[in-house]
Short mmCIF file of all heavy atoms in Angstrom, two decimals:
data_model
loop_
_atom_site.label_atom_id
_atom_site.label_comp_id
_atom_site.label_asym_id
_atom_site.label_seq_id
_atom_site.Cartn_x
_atom_site.Cartn_y
_atom_site.Cartn_z
N SER A 1324 -0.26 111.49 -64.94
CA SER A 1324 -0.02 111.75 -66.36
C SER A 1324 0.80 110.65 -67.01
O SER A 1324 1.77 110.15 -66.43
CB SER A 1324 0.69 113.09 -66.53
OG SER A 1324 0.98 113.31 -67.90
N LYS A 1325 0.42 110.29 -68.20
CA LYS A 1325 1.14 109.29 -68.98
C LYS A 1325 1.97 109.94 -70.10
O LYS A 1325 2.54 109.26 -70.93
CB LYS A 1325 0.16 108.28 -69.61
CG LYS A 1325 -0.70 107.55 -68.60
CD LYS A 1325 0.12 106.71 -67.65
CE LYS A 1325 -0.79 105.94 -66.71
NZ LYS A 1325 -0.17 105.67 -65.44
N ARG A 1326 2.03 111.26 -70.08
CA ARG A 1326 2.80 111.99 -71.10
C ARG A 1326 4.29 111.72 -70.92
O ARG A 1326 4.75 111.40 -69.82
CB ARG A 1326 2.52 113.48 -70.98
CG ARG A 1326 1.07 113.83 -71.26
CD ARG A 1326 0.86 115.32 -71.11
NE ARG A 1326 1.79 116.01 -72.00
CZ ARG A 1326 1.44 116.85 -72.94
NH1 ARG A 1326 0.18 117.14 -73.10
NH2 ARG A 1326 2.34 117.43 -73.70
N LYS A 1327 5.04 111.92 -71.97
CA LYS A 1327 6.49 111.74 -71.90
C LYS A 1327 7.15 112.88 -71.15
O LYS A 1327 8.20 112.69 -70.53
CB LYS A 1327 7.08 111.60 -73.29
CG LYS A 1327 6.68 110.31 -73.97
CD LYS A 1327 7.33 110.16 -75.31
CE LYS A 1327 6.83 108.85 -75.92
NZ LYS A 1327 7.51 108.53 -77.14
N THR A 1328 6.56 114.07 -71.23
CA THR A 1328 7.05 115.22 -70.49
C THR A 1328 5.86 116.05 -70.01
O THR A 1328 4.77 115.96 -70.57
CB THR A 1328 7.96 116.14 -71.35
OG1 THR A 1328 7.21 116.63 -72.46
CG2 THR A 1328 9.19 115.40 -71.83
N ILE A 1329 6.09 116.83 -68.97
CA ILE A 1329 5.08 117.77 -68.46
C ILE A 1329 5.73 119.15 -68.46
O ILE A 1329 6.82 119.32 -67.92
CB ILE A 1329 4.61 117.37 -67.05
CG1 ILE A 1329 3.96 115.98 -67.07
CG2 ILE A 1329 3.64 118.42 -66.50
CD1 ILE A 1329 3.60 115.43 -65.71
N ARG A 1330 5.06 120.10 -69.06
CA ARG A 1330 5.61 121.45 -69.17
C ARG A 1330 5.36 122.22 -67.88
O ARG A 1330 4.23 122.36 -67.43
CB ARG A 1330 5.00 122.19 -70.34
CG ARG A 1330 5.64 123.55 -70.57
CD ARG A 1330 5.33 124.04 -71.95
NE ARG A 1330 6.04 123.23 -72.90
CZ ARG A 1330 6.98 123.68 -73.72
NH1 ARG A 1330 7.30 124.94 -73.71
NH2 ARG A 1330 7.58 122.86 -74.55
N ILE A 1331 6.47 122.69 -67.28
CA ILE A 1331 6.42 123.50 -66.07
C ILE A 1331 7.25 124.76 -66.34
O ILE A 1331 8.45 124.66 -66.61
CB ILE A 1331 7.01 122.76 -64.85
CG1 ILE A 1331 6.32 121.42 -64.60
CG2 ILE A 1331 6.98 123.65 -63.61
CD1 ILE A 1331 4.94 121.49 -64.03
N SER A 1332 6.62 125.91 -66.28
CA SER A 1332 7.32 127.19 -66.49
C SER A 1332 8.14 127.19 -67.78
O SER A 1332 9.27 127.68 -67.81
CB SER A 1332 8.22 127.50 -65.29
OG SER A 1332 7.48 127.56 -64.11
N GLY A 1333 7.58 126.63 -68.83
CA GLY A 1333 8.25 126.63 -70.12
C GLY A 1333 9.27 125.53 -70.32
O GLY A 1333 9.84 125.40 -71.40
N ASP A 1334 9.54 124.73 -69.30
CA ASP A 1334 10.48 123.62 -69.41
C ASP A 1334 9.73 122.30 -69.43
O ASP A 1334 8.80 122.09 -68.64
CB ASP A 1334 11.46 123.60 -68.22
CG ASP A 1334 12.43 124.75 -68.22
OD1 ASP A 1334 12.78 125.24 -69.32
OD2 ASP A 1334 12.84 125.17 -67.13
N ASP A 1335 10.16 121.41 -70.29
CA ASP A 1335 9.57 120.07 -70.33
C ASP A 1335 10.30 119.20 -69.32
O ASP A 1335 11.51 118.98 -69.42
CB ASP A 1335 9.69 119.47 -71.73
CG ASP A 1335 8.77 120.18 -72.72
OD1 ASP A 1335 7.73 120.69 -72.29
OD2 ASP A 1335 9.11 120.23 -73.91
N LYS A 1336 9.57 118.74 -68.32
CA LYS A 1336 10.13 117.94 -67.24
C LYS A 1336 9.67 116.49 -67.38
O LYS A 1336 8.54 116.22 -67.79
CB LYS A 1336 9.63 118.45 -65.88
CG LYS A 1336 9.83 119.92 -65.65
CD LYS A 1336 11.09 120.16 -64.94
CE LYS A 1336 11.20 121.64 -64.56
NZ LYS A 1336 12.56 122.05 -64.41
N PRO A 1337 10.53 115.54 -66.99
CA PRO A 1337 10.08 114.14 -66.96
C PRO A 1337 8.94 114.00 -65.94
O PRO A 1337 8.97 114.62 -64.88
CB PRO A 1337 11.32 113.39 -66.48
CG PRO A 1337 12.48 114.30 -66.72
CD PRO A 1337 11.93 115.69 -66.61
N PRO A 1338 7.95 113.19 -66.25
CA PRO A 1338 6.82 113.06 -65.32
C PRO A 1338 7.22 112.57 -63.94
O PRO A 1338 6.61 112.94 -62.95
CB PRO A 1338 5.88 112.07 -66.01
CG PRO A 1338 6.63 111.49 -67.14
CD PRO A 1338 7.79 112.39 -67.45
N GLN A 1339 8.29 111.78 -63.85
CA GLN A 1339 8.74 111.29 -62.55
C GLN A 1339 9.23 112.44 -61.66
O GLN A 1339 9.05 112.42 -60.45
CB GLN A 1339 9.88 110.26 -62.69
CG GLN A 1339 9.57 109.09 -63.57
CD GLN A 1339 9.95 109.37 -65.04
OE1 GLN A 1339 9.68 110.42 -65.58
NE2 GLN A 1339 10.56 108.39 -65.68
N VAL A 1340 9.87 113.44 -62.28
CA VAL A 1340 10.36 114.60 -61.53
C VAL A 1340 9.18 115.42 -61.03
O VAL A 1340 9.14 115.85 -59.87
CB VAL A 1340 11.30 115.45 -62.42
CG1 VAL A 1340 11.65 116.77 -61.74
CG2 VAL A 1340 12.55 114.67 -62.76
N VAL A 1341 8.20 115.64 -61.89
CA VAL A 1341 7.01 116.39 -61.50
C VAL A 1341 6.27 115.66 -60.39
O VAL A 1341 5.88 116.27 -59.39
CB VAL A 1341 6.09 116.64 -62.72
CG1 VAL A 1341 4.79 117.31 -62.30
CG2 VAL A 1341 6.82 117.47 -63.77
N LYS A 1342 6.11 114.37 -60.55
CA LYS A 1342 5.42 113.56 -59.54
C LYS A 1342 6.14 113.66 -58.20
O LYS A 1342 5.51 113.88 -57.16
CB LYS A 1342 5.34 112.10 -60.00
CG LYS A 1342 4.62 111.19 -59.05
CD LYS A 1342 4.54 109.78 -59.64
CE LYS A 1342 3.85 108.83 -58.72
NZ LYS A 1342 3.71 107.50 -59.31
N SER A 1343 7.44 113.52 -58.21
CA SER A 1343 8.23 113.60 -56.98
C SER A 1343 8.03 114.95 -56.29
O SER A 1343 7.86 115.02 -55.07
CB SER A 1343 9.71 113.37 -57.29
OG SER A 1343 10.50 113.60 -56.16
N GLN A 1344 8.05 116.01 -57.06
CA GLN A 1344 7.89 117.35 -56.49
C GLN A 1344 6.48 117.55 -55.92
O GLN A 1344 6.31 118.11 -54.83
CB GLN A 1344 8.21 118.40 -57.56
CG GLN A 1344 8.42 119.77 -57.04
CD GLN A 1344 9.68 119.91 -56.18
OE1 GLN A 1344 10.45 118.98 -55.99
NE2 GLN A 1344 9.87 121.08 -55.65
N MET A 1345 5.48 117.08 -56.63
CA MET A 1345 4.09 117.24 -56.18
C MET A 1345 3.83 116.41 -54.91
O MET A 1345 3.07 116.82 -54.05
CB MET A 1345 3.10 116.83 -57.27
CG MET A 1345 3.17 117.68 -58.52
SD MET A 1345 2.97 119.44 -58.19
CE MET A 1345 2.88 120.07 -59.84
N MET A 1346 4.49 115.27 -54.80
CA MET A 1346 4.28 114.40 -53.65
C MET A 1346 4.87 115.01 -52.37
O MET A 1346 4.55 114.58 -51.27
CB MET A 1346 4.89 113.02 -53.89
CG MET A 1346 4.34 112.29 -55.10
SD MET A 1346 2.74 111.57 -54.89
CE MET A 1346 3.12 110.18 -53.89
N LYS A 1347 5.72 116.02 -52.50
CA LYS A 1347 6.30 116.72 -51.35
C LYS A 1347 5.34 117.74 -50.74
O LYS A 1347 5.58 118.22 -49.63
CB LYS A 1347 7.58 117.46 -51.76
CG LYS A 1347 8.71 116.57 -52.19
CD LYS A 1347 9.88 117.41 -52.65
CE LYS A 1347 11.00 116.56 -53.21
NZ LYS A 1347 12.08 117.37 -53.76
N LEU A 1348 4.31 118.10 -51.46
CA LEU A 1348 3.41 119.17 -51.01
C LEU A 1348 2.66 118.77 -49.74
O LEU A 1348 2.30 117.61 -49.55
CB LEU A 1348 2.41 119.52 -52.11
CG LEU A 1348 3.00 120.15 -53.36
CD1 LEU A 1348 1.94 120.24 -54.46
CD2 LEU A 1348 3.57 121.52 -53.06
N ASN A 1349 2.41 119.78 -48.92
CA ASN A 1349 1.56 119.61 -47.74
C ASN A 1349 0.59 120.79 -47.67
O ASN A 1349 0.60 121.66 -48.55
CB ASN A 1349 2.41 119.47 -46.46
CG ASN A 1349 3.25 120.69 -46.19
OD1 ASN A 1349 2.82 121.83 -46.36
ND2 ASN A 1349 4.48 120.48 -45.75
N GLY A 1350 -0.19 120.84 -46.65
CA GLY A 1350 -1.20 121.89 -46.52
C GLY A 1350 -0.62 123.29 -46.48
O GLY A 1350 -1.22 124.23 -47.01
N GLU A 1351 0.54 123.44 -45.87
CA GLU A 1351 1.17 124.77 -45.80
C GLU A 1351 1.58 125.26 -47.19
O GLU A 1351 1.48 126.45 -47.48
CB GLU A 1351 2.36 124.76 -44.85
CG GLU A 1351 1.98 124.59 -43.39
CD GLU A 1351 0.94 125.62 -42.92
OE1 GLU A 1351 1.14 126.83 -43.16
OE2 GLU A 1351 -0.06 125.20 -42.32
N HIS A 1352 2.03 124.34 -48.02
CA HIS A 1352 2.37 124.72 -49.40
C HIS A 1352 1.13 125.20 -50.14
O HIS A 1352 1.19 126.17 -50.91
CB HIS A 1352 2.99 123.54 -50.16
CG HIS A 1352 4.31 123.11 -49.63
ND1 HIS A 1352 4.52 121.86 -49.08
CD2 HIS A 1352 5.50 123.76 -49.54
CE1 HIS A 1352 5.78 121.77 -48.70
NE2 HIS A 1352 6.40 122.91 -48.96
N ILE A 1353 0.02 124.53 -49.93
CA ILE A 1353 -1.22 124.92 -50.61
C ILE A 1353 -1.67 126.30 -50.13
O ILE A 1353 -2.07 127.14 -50.94
CB ILE A 1353 -2.33 123.86 -50.39
CG1 ILE A 1353 -1.87 122.48 -50.88
CG2 ILE A 1353 -3.63 124.29 -51.06
CD1 ILE A 1353 -1.40 122.40 -52.32
N LYS A 1354 -1.59 126.56 -48.83
CA LYS A 1354 -1.94 127.89 -48.32
C LYS A 1354 -1.03 128.96 -48.91
O LYS A 1354 -1.47 130.07 -49.22
CB LYS A 1354 -1.85 127.91 -46.79
CG LYS A 1354 -2.95 127.13 -46.11
CD LYS A 1354 -2.76 127.19 -44.60
CE LYS A 1354 -3.73 126.31 -43.87
NZ LYS A 1354 -3.52 126.35 -42.41
N TYR A 1355 0.24 128.62 -49.06
CA TYR A 1355 1.22 129.53 -49.66
C TYR A 1355 0.83 129.84 -51.11
O TYR A 1355 0.81 131.00 -51.52
CB TYR A 1355 2.61 128.91 -49.57
CG TYR A 1355 3.66 129.49 -50.47
CD1 TYR A 1355 4.05 130.82 -50.37
CD2 TYR A 1355 4.28 128.69 -51.42
CE1 TYR A 1355 5.04 131.33 -51.20
CE2 TYR A 1355 5.28 129.20 -52.25
CZ TYR A 1355 5.64 130.52 -52.14
OH TYR A 1355 6.61 131.02 -52.96
N VAL A 1356 0.49 128.82 -51.88
CA VAL A 1356 0.08 129.02 -53.27
C VAL A 1356 -1.19 129.87 -53.33
O VAL A 1356 -1.28 130.79 -54.14
CB VAL A 1356 -0.10 127.67 -54.00
CG1 VAL A 1356 -0.79 127.84 -55.34
CG2 VAL A 1356 1.25 126.99 -54.17
N LEU A 1357 -2.15 129.59 -52.48
CA LEU A 1357 -3.38 130.39 -52.44
C LEU A 1357 -3.07 131.85 -52.11
O LEU A 1357 -3.63 132.77 -52.72
CB LEU A 1357 -4.38 129.82 -51.42
CG LEU A 1357 -5.03 128.49 -51.77
CD1 LEU A 1357 -5.83 127.97 -50.58
CD2 LEU A 1357 -5.91 128.61 -53.00
N SER A 1358 -2.18 132.07 -51.16
CA SER A 1358 -1.78 133.43 -50.79
C SER A 1358 -1.12 134.14 -51.97
O SER A 1358 -1.42 135.31 -52.26
CB SER A 1358 -0.82 133.38 -49.60
OG SER A 1358 -0.29 134.65 -49.34
N CYS A 1359 -0.23 133.46 -52.65
CA CYS A 1359 0.43 134.05 -53.82
C CYS A 1359 -0.58 134.37 -54.92
O CYS A 1359 -0.47 135.41 -55.59
CB CYS A 1359 1.51 133.11 -54.36
SG CYS A 1359 2.95 132.96 -53.27
N MET A 1360 -1.56 133.51 -55.10
CA MET A 1360 -2.60 133.76 -56.10
C MET A 1360 -3.41 135.01 -55.73
O MET A 1360 -3.73 135.82 -56.61
CB MET A 1360 -3.54 132.55 -56.21
CG MET A 1360 -2.90 131.29 -56.73
SD MET A 1360 -2.57 131.30 -58.48
CE MET A 1360 -4.22 131.22 -59.12
N ARG A 1361 -3.72 135.17 -54.46
CA ARG A 1361 -4.48 136.35 -54.01
C ARG A 1361 -3.68 137.64 -54.24
O ARG A 1361 -4.24 138.68 -54.55
CB ARG A 1361 -4.84 136.24 -52.53
CG ARG A 1361 -6.05 135.38 -52.25
CD ARG A 1361 -6.53 135.54 -50.81
NE ARG A 1361 -5.52 135.17 -49.82
CZ ARG A 1361 -5.31 133.94 -49.37
NH1 ARG A 1361 -6.04 132.95 -49.82
NH2 ARG A 1361 -4.38 133.70 -48.47
#
C-alpha cells in the first residue's frame, strides 16, 4: 500500500507498522484466523 495510513479496527495506522505486523505472520497464524472465521 502507498496510502499514508491503513485503517485497522477503526484506527489509522502508519503503513510501516501494518507491514511489520503482517510480515510476522506464519502458517499457524493463518490457520488461527481461519478457525476464528469459522
Side-chain angles (χ1 to χ4, degrees):
S1324 177
K1325 302 297 183 209
R1326 297 179 56 122
K1327 291 183 181 187
T1328 61
I1329 299 174
R1330 185 162 291 243
I1331 304 287
S1332 301
D1334 291 330
D1335 290 331
K1336 308 266 187 206
Q1339 305 89 316
V1340 171
V1341 174
K1342 181 177 179 177
S1343 173
Q1344 195 67 2
M1345 297 305 187
M1346 302 283 286
K1347 295 176 185 175
L1348 294 171
N1349 61 41
E1351 291 306 311
H1352 294 117
I1353 303 304
K1354 289 179 187 179
Y1355 162 62
V1356 168
L1357 290 172
S1358 173
C1359 290
M1360 295 285 290
R1361 279 191 300 274

